Amino acid sequence: MDFELDEDYRILQQAVREFAEKEIMPYGQEYDEKKEYPLDIFRKAAKLGYVGASVPEEYGGAGMGCLAEAIISEELTRADSSIGSAIDLAVLGVPMILRFGTEEQKERYVPPVVKGERPSAIAITEPDCGTDVAAMRTRAVRDGGWWVINGSKTFITNGSVAGHTIVVAKTAETDPPHRGISAFIVETSSEGYEARRIEKMGLNCHDTAELTLKNVRVPAENLLGKENRGFYQLMEFFNESRVKIAALHLGMAVGAYERALEYAKQRKAFGKPLIEHQAIQFKLADMWKDIEAARLLVYRAAWMIDKEKPSPPLSSAAKLFASEAAVRITYEALQIFGGYGYSKEYDIERYYRDARVGTIYEGTSEAQRIVIARSLMGKVRK
Ligand SMILES: Cc1cc2nc3c(=O)[nH]c(=O)nc-3n(C[C@H](O)[C@H](O)[C@H](O)COP(=O)(O)OP(=O)(O)OC[C@H]3O[C@@H](n4cnc5c(N)ncnc54)[C@H](O)[C@@H]3O)c2cc1C
């Protein structure tokens, strides 16, 4: 057993750090205020191979695996919680295509994302159901060589900037209902696909959208994998996507911790730097401890995927722990900054707002605990 990163990973980490400090860090507040998707920065990152590093080389990626992608995610959000995560989530729908798509689908839809042309999206959540995926109401009905999709989706990351969206819809009435769900690649230029941006507490530069799908006609060849297997595909997809979200939130925690540590060394109270006060030392010690633990979980869950032994409870544990740690750490970091933490003068208030969603999207903390508990009960593989 070796806890050191191999040299290739260390070189990658250093290179992404330099890129992120130069091209992302200075623009965090600007993009937060203008609430604009950072397309230009996404393109720069893609050019350097930092978008979709785990995508195989034949589809334009770096073929470096999930651990490499986690290292990149951490560095991007360490530099800025909003821009970093927006760029990193540009490949959101891609693992579904790589895992279940035909050769033609992979060749057509993956390279444009990795090259930085347009991000991808995946639409599962609906206005009336999120955690309870199988309760979805969006329907896809076969019509000759086409599928016709009707319904609405909400909170869809990249919903209006994406070139394609993986839309998950009901294709059969079954009991239990999760056996009648399928996934489709929908081009966002399709007639009847409408996206409306949603205002949020944080992640302001993300494009989070509500979708209306009105008689959207999708060619039959855009069905992703087998008909009625969509729910099971999603469960496999989450193993990977949850590690990505965990790594993003680990990076947010690191970014907030480093800024708080620096501030605590400089700011004085009662004649000595804040860091000389034990109450502040304890906060920083807890932050450091949580970051170390989160990183171990993230790296191990990513490593398991690279070894083709994905572990649902481990991916869920990484996501659960890293996102909850990021919420705690950004909260305490803001506390260390005192009144300045609450002002727009420093990045911390943004990190605090941006980190909060980590316990909600890609499955809430409660949903992650359900996955872990089901595996303890022998209902999900370990
Ligand atoms: C910024 C942002 C980006 C997002 N991006 C995407 C995206 O790209 N694609 C997409 O499809 N979705 C996306 N989502 C949606 C997100 O995945 C859902 O919000 C999330 O899965 C929770 O669903 P919900 O909001 O419907 O909450 P609900 O499912 O209604 O849950 C409400 C509360 O009840 C709890 N709860 C529900 N069921 C149980 C249970 N069985 N036991 C215990 N507690 C339970 C939940 O944990 C939660 O606390 C995004 C959300 C946000 C905020």
Side-chain angles (χ1 to χ4, degrees):
M1 187 181 250
D2 186 354
F3 285 98
E4 288 288 332
L5 286 178
D6 292 345
E7 198 187 353
D8 282 355
Y9 290 129
R10 289 205 305 275
I11 292 171
L12 174 71
Q13 191 175 43
Q14 189 54 36
V16 182
R17 179 165 297 196
E18 282 166 23
F19 164 79
E21 287 184 352
K22 183 165 170 260
E23 303 289 353
I24 294 179
M25 207 179 257
Y27 305 105
Q29 188 166 358
E30 181 187 326
Y31 273 90
D32 184 65
E33 279 169 8
K34 64 183 182 186
K35 300 184 177 179
E36 193 179 295
Y37 185 80
L39 203 55
D40 52 342
I41 308 180
F42 159 58
R43 290 192 168 141
K44 283 183 192 166
K47 218 171 179 178
L48 293 168
Y50 301 154
V51 172
S54 66
V55 171
E57 286 175 42
E58 61 263 40
Y59 308 115
M64 289 187 75
C66 193
L67 179 56
E69 201 150 321
I71 290 167
I72 293 174
S73 305
E74 181 184 337
E75 288 304 324
L76 294 178
T77 48
R78 172 188 169 269
D80 185 70
S81 46
S82 250
I83 301 178
S85 50
I87 293 172
D88 206 50
L89 292 176
V91 290
L92 205 49
V94 165
M96 281 286 279
I97 302 179
L98 288 176
R99 205 167 273 276
F100 307 107
T102 60
E103 199 47 44
E104 290 73 35
Q105 289 171 338
K106 291 179 198 173
E107 281 171 13
R108 179 171 177 152
Y109 292 106
V110 176
V113 181
V114 179
K115 278 195 239 154
E117 286 170 23
R118 301 276 294 270
S120 73
I122 178 158
I124 309 162
T125 308
E126 300 192 353
D128 293 330
C129 69
T131 308
D132 187 5
V133 171
M136 69 175 54
R137 289 205 244 160
T138 297
R139 291 271 183 288
V141 177
R142 188 77 191 244
D143 179 19
W146 301 84
W147 285 93
V148 183
I149 308 181
N150 279 288
S152 48
K153 299 283 178 182
T154 194
F155 296 122
I156 306 309
T157 302
N158 306 326
S160 42
V161 291
H164 68 261
T165 297
I166 310 295
V167 174
V168 187
K170 273 272 174 70
T171 38
E173 291 310 320
T174 54
D175 185 15
H178 69 264
R179 293 201 184 135
I181 289 172
S182 306
F184 300 87
I185 307 174
V186 177
E187 296 190 8
T188 56
S189 56
S190 307
E191 212 181 312
Y193 179 104
E194 269 178 34
R196 192 183 62 82
R197 239 182 117 118
I198 298 170
E199 287 296 318
K200 315 182 293 298
M201 167 183 173
L203 298 181
N204 279 343
C205 76
H206 282 224
D207 172 70
T208 312
E210 202 172 72
L211 308 184
T212 308
L213 303 150
K214 210 168 167 192
N215 292 323
V216 176
R217 294 181 78 79
V218 178
E221 62 266 24
N222 279 29
L223 172 73
L224 196 48
K226 291 200 178 115
E227 192 177 330
N228 296 329
R229 295 296 296 170
F231 183 84
Y232 303 96
Q233 294 168 347
L234 284 179
M235 295 305 116
E236 280 192 44
F237 162 76
F238 286 144
N239 286 335
E240 204 170 320
S241 63
R242 283 175 181 163
V243 178
K244 177 176 266 309
I245 297 291
L248 287 176
H249 285 263
L250 166 63
M252 291 185 198
V254 173
Y257 158 76
E258 287 180 353
R259 283 163 172 86
L261 178 64
E262 207 43 47
Y263 188 80
K265 287 178 186 166
Q266 284 164 14
R267 174 81 171 177
K268 288 197 174 123
F270 298 91
K272 55 184 181 184
L274 290 177
I275 199 163
E276 300 290 334
H277 295 275
Q278 198 179 49
I280 302 293
Q281 291 169 6
F282 282 8
K283 287 188 197 301
L284 290 164
D286 277 340
M287 290 180 188
W288 182 87
K289 171 262 294 171
D290 277 354
I291 286 169
E292 287 294 309
R295 193 177 285 121
L296 284 173
L297 273 171
V298 170
Y299 282 13
R300 176 143 185 255
W303 180 86
M304 296 285 276
I305 291 167
D306 287 342
K307 296 284 169 208
E308 294 183 4
K309 292 188 286 191
S311 161
L314 200 56
S315 291
S316 282
K319 197 266 176 182
L320 172 64
F321 189 83
S323 62
E324 293 200 340
V327 170
R328 284 195 296 277
I329 289 169
T330 52
Y331 177 92
E332 290 294 13
L334 195 150
Q335 190 69 16
I336 291 175
F337 271 79
Y340 290 107
Y342 200 67
S343 79
K344 294 266 180 191
E345 198 175 321
Y346 289 92
D347 296 332
I348 286 299
E349 63 84 29
R350 191 168 65 257
Y351 272 75
Y352 175 73
R353 285 186 283 117
D354 292 347
R356 185 61 188 85
V357 75
T359 68
I360 297 166
Y361 64 179
E362 217 62 19
T364 61
S365 285
E366 291 76 18
Q368 309 309 328
R369 287 187 171 92
I370 291 171
V371 173
I372 297 168
R374 283 174 64 83
S375 106
L376 302 180
M377 292 157 73
K379 292 184 177 169
V380 179
R381 75 177 185 281
K382 287 198 177 135

mmCIF file of all heavy atoms in Angstrom, residues 92 122-126 129-132 154-157 200 203 208 357 360-364 366-367 370, ligand 1:
data_model
loop_
_atom_site.group_PDB
_atom_site.id
_atom_site.type_symbol
_atom_site.label_atom_id
_atom_site.label_comp_id
_atom_site.label_asym_id
_atom_site.label_seq_id
_atom_site.Cartn_x
_atom_site.Cartn_y
_atom_site.Cartn_z
ATOM 1 N N LEU A 92 -20.712 16.652 -17.336
ATOM 2 C CA LEU A 92 -21.665 15.954 -16.473
ATOM 3 C C LEU A 92 -22.345 14.735 -17.117
ATOM 4 O O LEU A 92 -22.425 13.671 -16.514
ATOM 5 C CB LEU A 92 -22.714 16.955 -15.987
ATOM 6 C CG LEU A 92 -23.423 16.642 -14.683
ATOM 7 C CD1 LEU A 92 -22.440 16.278 -13.590
ATOM 8 C CD2 LEU A 92 -24.275 17.825 -14.255
ATOM 9 N N ILE A 122 -27.246 16.483 -17.806
ATOM 10 C CA ILE A 122 -28.089 15.295 -17.574
ATOM 11 C C ILE A 122 -29.319 15.735 -16.791
ATOM 12 O O ILE A 122 -29.204 16.415 -15.755
ATOM 13 C CB ILE A 122 -27.319 14.145 -16.880
ATOM 14 C CG1 ILE A 122 -28.248 12.953 -16.613
ATOM 15 C CG2 ILE A 122 -26.602 14.581 -15.610
ATOM 16 C CD1 ILE A 122 -27.520 11.640 -16.436
ATOM 17 N N ALA A 123 -30.494 15.376 -17.301
ATOM 18 C CA ALA A 123 -31.745 15.856 -16.709
ATOM 19 C C ALA A 123 -32.527 14.693 -16.108
ATOM 20 O O ALA A 123 -33.128 13.899 -16.843
ATOM 21 C CB ALA A 123 -32.575 16.570 -17.781
ATOM 22 N N ILE A 124 -32.502 14.620 -14.786
ATOM 23 C CA ILE A 124 -33.227 13.572 -14.062
ATOM 24 C C ILE A 124 -34.349 14.216 -13.230
ATOM 25 O O ILE A 124 -35.507 13.827 -13.296
ATOM 26 C CB ILE A 124 -32.269 12.812 -13.108
ATOM 27 C CG1 ILE A 124 -31.011 12.347 -13.859
ATOM 28 C CG2 ILE A 124 -32.987 11.622 -12.461
ATOM 29 C CD1 ILE A 124 -29.841 11.997 -12.958
ATOM 30 N N THR A 125 -33.968 15.217 -12.432
ATOM 31 C CA THR A 125 -34.889 15.827 -11.461
ATOM 32 C C THR A 125 -36.069 16.535 -12.138
ATOM 33 O O THR A 125 -35.898 17.187 -13.166
ATOM 34 C CB THR A 125 -34.120 16.843 -10.584
ATOM 35 O OG1 THR A 125 -32.971 16.195 -10.054
ATOM 36 C CG2 THR A 125 -34.966 17.392 -9.459
ATOM 37 N N GLU A 126 -37.222 16.412 -11.511
ATOM 38 C CA GLU A 126 -38.430 17.080 -12.019
ATOM 39 C C GLU A 126 -39.027 17.959 -10.920
ATOM 40 O O GLU A 126 -38.693 17.782 -9.741
ATOM 41 C CB GLU A 126 -39.446 16.019 -12.461
ATOM 42 C CG GLU A 126 -38.869 15.141 -13.554
ATOM 43 C CD GLU A 126 -39.898 14.270 -14.242
ATOM 44 O OE1 GLU A 126 -41.067 14.232 -13.785
ATOM 45 O OE2 GLU A 126 -39.527 13.647 -15.254
ATOM 46 N N CYS A 129 -40.352 15.630 -8.254
ATOM 47 C CA CYS A 129 -39.559 14.525 -7.693
ATOM 48 C C CYS A 129 -38.071 14.671 -7.986
ATOM 49 O O CYS A 129 -37.667 15.042 -9.086
ATOM 50 C CB CYS A 129 -40.050 13.171 -8.203
ATOM 51 S SG CYS A 129 -39.724 12.901 -9.935
ATOM 52 N N GLY A 130 -37.283 14.416 -6.938
ATOM 53 C CA GLY A 130 -35.826 14.460 -7.062
ATOM 54 C C GLY A 130 -35.235 13.166 -6.554
ATOM 55 O O GLY A 130 -34.845 12.283 -7.314
ATOM 56 N N THR A 131 -35.264 13.010 -5.219
ATOM 57 C CA THR A 131 -34.722 11.790 -4.608
ATOM 58 C C THR A 131 -35.465 10.555 -5.120
ATOM 59 O O THR A 131 -34.849 9.545 -5.451
ATOM 60 C CB THR A 131 -34.858 11.894 -3.060
ATOM 61 O OG1 THR A 131 -34.291 13.135 -2.634
ATOM 62 C CG2 THR A 131 -34.150 10.744 -2.370
ATOM 63 N N ASP A 132 -36.765 10.670 -5.229
ATOM 64 C CA ASP A 132 -37.596 9.553 -5.689
ATOM 65 C C ASP A 132 -37.638 9.547 -7.219
ATOM 66 O O ASP A 132 -38.649 9.873 -7.843
ATOM 67 C CB ASP A 132 -39.005 9.729 -5.099
ATOM 68 C CG ASP A 132 -39.904 8.535 -5.383
ATOM 69 O OD1 ASP A 132 -39.407 7.539 -5.945
ATOM 70 O OD2 ASP A 132 -41.098 8.620 -5.049
ATOM 71 N N THR A 154 -36.128 20.032 -13.746
ATOM 72 C CA THR A 154 -35.694 21.259 -13.067
ATOM 73 C C THR A 154 -34.324 21.085 -12.417
ATOM 74 O O THR A 154 -33.878 19.957 -12.220
ATOM 75 C CB THR A 154 -36.760 21.728 -12.042
ATOM 76 O OG1 THR A 154 -36.440 23.081 -11.668
ATOM 77 C CG2 THR A 154 -36.812 20.851 -10.788
ATOM 78 N N PHE A 155 -33.682 22.224 -12.141
ATOM 79 C CA PHE A 155 -32.333 22.280 -11.547
ATOM 80 C C PHE A 155 -31.293 21.601 -12.444
ATOM 81 O O PHE A 155 -30.403 20.918 -11.932
ATOM 82 C CB PHE A 155 -32.299 21.608 -10.163
ATOM 83 C CG PHE A 155 -33.151 22.276 -9.131
ATOM 84 C CD1 PHE A 155 -34.155 21.575 -8.472
ATOM 85 C CD2 PHE A 155 -32.945 23.601 -8.790
ATOM 86 C CE1 PHE A 155 -34.950 22.185 -7.509
ATOM 87 C CE2 PHE A 155 -33.725 24.229 -7.825
ATOM 88 C CZ PHE A 155 -34.736 23.515 -7.186
ATOM 89 N N ILE A 156 -31.405 21.754 -13.745
ATOM 90 C CA ILE A 156 -30.500 21.026 -14.631
ATOM 91 C C ILE A 156 -29.235 21.849 -14.916
ATOM 92 O O ILE A 156 -29.288 22.892 -15.590
ATOM 93 C CB ILE A 156 -31.223 20.614 -15.946
ATOM 94 C CG1 ILE A 156 -32.507 19.845 -15.588
ATOM 95 C CG2 ILE A 156 -30.293 19.790 -16.838
ATOM 96 C CD1 ILE A 156 -32.350 18.680 -14.607
ATOM 97 N N THR A 157 -28.122 21.344 -14.388
ATOM 98 C CA THR A 157 -26.831 22.017 -14.573
ATOM 99 C C THR A 157 -26.474 21.987 -16.059
ATOM 100 O O THR A 157 -26.533 20.926 -16.687
ATOM 101 C CB THR A 157 -25.750 21.290 -13.735
ATOM 102 O OG1 THR A 157 -26.165 21.302 -12.374
ATOM 103 C CG2 THR A 157 -24.401 21.964 -13.864
ATOM 104 N N LYS A 200 -30.294 31.262 -7.905
ATOM 105 C CA LYS A 200 -29.959 30.416 -6.751
ATOM 106 C C LYS A 200 -29.200 31.189 -5.675
ATOM 107 O O LYS A 200 -28.770 32.317 -5.902
ATOM 108 C CB LYS A 200 -29.064 29.237 -7.194
ATOM 109 C CG LYS A 200 -29.497 28.523 -8.455
ATOM 110 C CD LYS A 200 -28.594 27.358 -8.785
ATOM 111 C CE LYS A 200 -27.182 27.746 -9.184
ATOM 112 N NZ LYS A 200 -27.079 28.548 -10.388
ATOM 113 N N LEU A 203 -23.307 29.313 -6.475
ATOM 114 C CA LEU A 203 -22.929 28.801 -7.809
ATOM 115 C C LEU A 203 -23.546 29.694 -8.883
ATOM 116 O O LEU A 203 -24.183 29.215 -9.834
ATOM 117 C CB LEU A 203 -23.378 27.343 -7.991
ATOM 118 C CG LEU A 203 -22.772 26.318 -7.027
ATOM 119 C CD1 LEU A 203 -23.276 24.908 -7.339
ATOM 120 C CD2 LEU A 203 -21.241 26.318 -7.065
ATOM 121 N N THR A 208 -27.914 26.815 -14.299
ATOM 122 C CA THR A 208 -28.842 25.830 -13.729
ATOM 123 C C THR A 208 -30.221 26.167 -14.290
ATOM 124 O O THR A 208 -30.677 27.307 -14.136
ATOM 125 C CB THR A 208 -28.866 25.929 -12.186
ATOM 126 O OG1 THR A 208 -27.525 25.948 -11.708
ATOM 127 C CG2 THR A 208 -29.625 24.774 -11.565
ATOM 128 N N VAL A 357 -24.699 23.672 -1.461
ATOM 129 C CA VAL A 357 -25.491 22.762 -2.312
ATOM 130 C C VAL A 357 -24.946 21.325 -2.302
ATOM 131 O O VAL A 357 -25.640 20.382 -2.688
ATOM 132 C CB VAL A 357 -25.541 23.312 -3.765
ATOM 133 C CG1 VAL A 357 -24.208 23.103 -4.493
ATOM 134 C CG2 VAL A 357 -26.662 22.660 -4.549
ATOM 135 N N ILE A 360 -26.978 18.517 -1.170
ATOM 136 C CA ILE A 360 -28.286 18.396 -1.824
ATOM 137 C C ILE A 360 -28.191 17.747 -3.205
ATOM 138 O O ILE A 360 -28.889 16.770 -3.484
ATOM 139 C CB ILE A 360 -28.962 19.791 -1.922
ATOM 140 C CG1 ILE A 360 -29.218 20.341 -0.512
ATOM 141 C CG2 ILE A 360 -30.251 19.718 -2.739
ATOM 142 C CD1 ILE A 360 -29.551 21.805 -0.459
ATOM 143 N N TYR A 361 -27.332 18.307 -4.095
ATOM 144 C CA TYR A 361 -27.361 17.758 -5.457
ATOM 145 C C TYR A 361 -26.591 16.441 -5.574
ATOM 146 O O TYR A 361 -25.835 16.081 -4.705
ATOM 147 C CB TYR A 361 -26.937 18.792 -6.508
ATOM 148 C CG TYR A 361 -25.528 19.339 -6.482
ATOM 149 C CD1 TYR A 361 -25.136 20.267 -7.460
ATOM 150 C CD2 TYR A 361 -24.583 18.985 -5.548
ATOM 151 C CE1 TYR A 361 -23.855 20.797 -7.489
ATOM 152 C CE2 TYR A 361 -23.297 19.514 -5.572
ATOM 153 C CZ TYR A 361 -22.947 20.404 -6.547
ATOM 154 O OH TYR A 361 -21.693 20.922 -6.570
ATOM 155 N N GLU A 362 -26.848 15.771 -6.706
ATOM 156 C CA GLU A 362 -26.280 14.431 -6.954
ATOM 157 C C GLU A 362 -26.642 13.460 -5.824
ATOM 158 O O GLU A 362 -25.851 12.593 -5.442
ATOM 159 C CB GLU A 362 -24.762 14.538 -7.133
ATOM 160 C CG GLU A 362 -24.168 13.616 -8.170
ATOM 161 C CD GLU A 362 -24.692 13.876 -9.586
ATOM 162 O OE1 GLU A 362 -25.221 14.968 -9.846
ATOM 163 O OE2 GLU A 362 -24.585 12.946 -10.405
ATOM 164 N N GLY A 363 -27.834 13.638 -5.280
ATOM 165 C CA GLY A 363 -28.310 12.821 -4.166
ATOM 166 C C GLY A 363 -28.003 13.520 -2.854
ATOM 167 O O GLY A 363 -26.857 13.836 -2.557
ATOM 168 N N THR A 364 -29.067 13.748 -2.064
ATOM 169 C CA THR A 364 -28.901 14.463 -0.797
ATOM 170 C C THR A 364 -28.082 13.607 0.184
ATOM 171 O O THR A 364 -27.857 12.419 -0.053
ATOM 172 C CB THR A 364 -30.282 14.732 -0.157
ATOM 173 O OG1 THR A 364 -30.899 13.463 0.091
ATOM 174 C CG2 THR A 364 -31.172 15.570 -1.050
ATOM 175 N N GLU A 366 -29.127 12.537 2.900
ATOM 176 C CA GLU A 366 -30.008 11.446 3.350
ATOM 177 C C GLU A 366 -29.957 10.295 2.341
ATOM 178 O O GLU A 366 -29.895 9.121 2.722
ATOM 179 C CB GLU A 366 -31.450 11.956 3.515
ATOM 180 C CG GLU A 366 -31.667 12.932 4.679
ATOM 181 C CD GLU A 366 -31.142 14.336 4.403
ATOM 182 O OE1 GLU A 366 -30.916 14.688 3.226
ATOM 183 O OE2 GLU A 366 -30.943 15.110 5.374
ATOM 184 N N ALA A 367 -29.980 10.639 1.049
ATOM 185 C CA ALA A 367 -29.934 9.600 0.007
ATOM 186 C C ALA A 367 -28.609 8.816 0.080
ATOM 187 O O ALA A 367 -28.599 7.600 -0.123
ATOM 188 C CB ALA A 367 -30.102 10.228 -1.375
ATOM 189 N N ILE A 370 -28.817 6.384 2.795
ATOM 190 C CA ILE A 370 -29.670 5.246 2.408
ATOM 191 C C ILE A 370 -28.831 4.228 1.619
ATOM 192 O O ILE A 370 -28.897 3.026 1.877
ATOM 193 C CB ILE A 370 -30.901 5.726 1.599
ATOM 194 C CG1 ILE A 370 -31.858 6.512 2.512
ATOM 195 C CG2 ILE A 370 -31.624 4.547 0.940
ATOM 196 C CD1 ILE A 370 -33.007 7.224 1.794
HETATM 197 C C1 LIG B 1 -27.525 23.737 -8.001
HETATM 198 C C2 LIG B 1 -28.193 22.443 -8.319
HETATM 199 C C3 LIG B 1 -27.782 21.718 -9.425
HETATM 200 C C4 LIG B 1 -28.428 20.523 -9.752
HETATM 201 N N1 LIG B 1 -28.071 19.856 -10.911
HETATM 202 C C5 LIG B 1 -28.846 18.811 -11.339
HETATM 203 C C6 LIG B 1 -28.615 18.217 -12.624
HETATM 204 O O1 LIG B 1 -27.687 18.603 -13.367
HETATM 205 N N2 LIG B 1 -29.441 17.221 -13.019
HETATM 206 C C7 LIG B 1 -30.477 16.768 -12.250
HETATM 207 O O2 LIG B 1 -31.180 15.883 -12.672
HETATM 208 N N3 LIG B 1 -30.706 17.312 -11.019
HETATM 209 C C8 LIG B 1 -29.925 18.316 -10.557
HETATM 210 N N4 LIG B 1 -30.173 18.894 -9.330
HETATM 211 C C9 LIG B 1 -31.285 18.399 -8.524
HETATM 212 C C10 LIG B 1 -30.839 17.628 -7.292
HETATM 213 O O3 LIG B 1 -30.200 16.436 -7.662
HETATM 214 C C11 LIG B 1 -32.061 17.421 -6.421
HETATM 215 O O4 LIG B 1 -32.419 18.689 -5.890
HETATM 216 C C12 LIG B 1 -31.822 16.426 -5.304
HETATM 217 O O5 LIG B 1 -31.665 15.131 -5.839
HETATM 218 C C13 LIG B 1 -32.958 16.402 -4.260
HETATM 219 O O6 LIG B 1 -34.192 16.292 -4.878
HETATM 220 P P1 LIG B 1 -35.365 17.346 -4.478
HETATM 221 O O7 LIG B 1 -34.798 18.702 -4.564
HETATM 222 O O8 LIG B 1 -36.540 17.017 -5.315
HETATM 223 O O9 LIG B 1 -35.659 17.029 -2.970
HETATM 224 P P2 LIG B 1 -36.671 15.910 -2.408
HETATM 225 O O10 LIG B 1 -36.401 14.607 -3.054
HETATM 226 O O11 LIG B 1 -38.049 16.442 -2.443
HETATM 227 O O12 LIG B 1 -36.185 15.828 -0.900
HETATM 228 C C14 LIG B 1 -36.489 16.840 0.068
HETATM 229 C C15 LIG B 1 -35.856 16.415 1.396
HETATM 230 O O13 LIG B 1 -36.398 15.159 1.804
HETATM 231 C C16 LIG B 1 -35.352 14.218 1.992
HETATM 232 N N5 LIG B 1 -35.805 12.887 1.569
HETATM 233 C C17 LIG B 1 -36.361 12.512 0.398
HETATM 234 N N6 LIG B 1 -36.599 11.189 0.391
HETATM 235 C C18 LIG B 1 -36.168 10.697 1.574
HETATM 236 C C19 LIG B 1 -36.148 9.393 2.181
HETATM 237 N N7 LIG B 1 -36.569 8.308 1.512
HETATM 238 N N8 LIG B 1 -35.654 9.290 3.421
HETATM 239 C C20 LIG B 1 -35.183 10.377 4.092
HETATM 240 N N9 LIG B 1 -35.168 11.625 3.580
HETATM 241 C C21 LIG B 1 -35.661 11.788 2.331
HETATM 242 C C22 LIG B 1 -34.222 14.708 1.110
HETATM 243 O O14 LIG B 1 -32.964 14.184 1.539
HETATM 244 C C23 LIG B 1 -34.354 16.205 1.305
HETATM 245 O O15 LIG B 1 -33.751 16.589 2.504
HETATM 246 C C24 LIG B 1 -29.493 20.047 -8.944
HETATM 247 C C25 LIG B 1 -29.870 20.765 -7.803
HETATM 248 C C26 LIG B 1 -29.253 21.948 -7.497
HETATM 249 C C27 LIG B 1 -29.721 22.715 -6.293
#
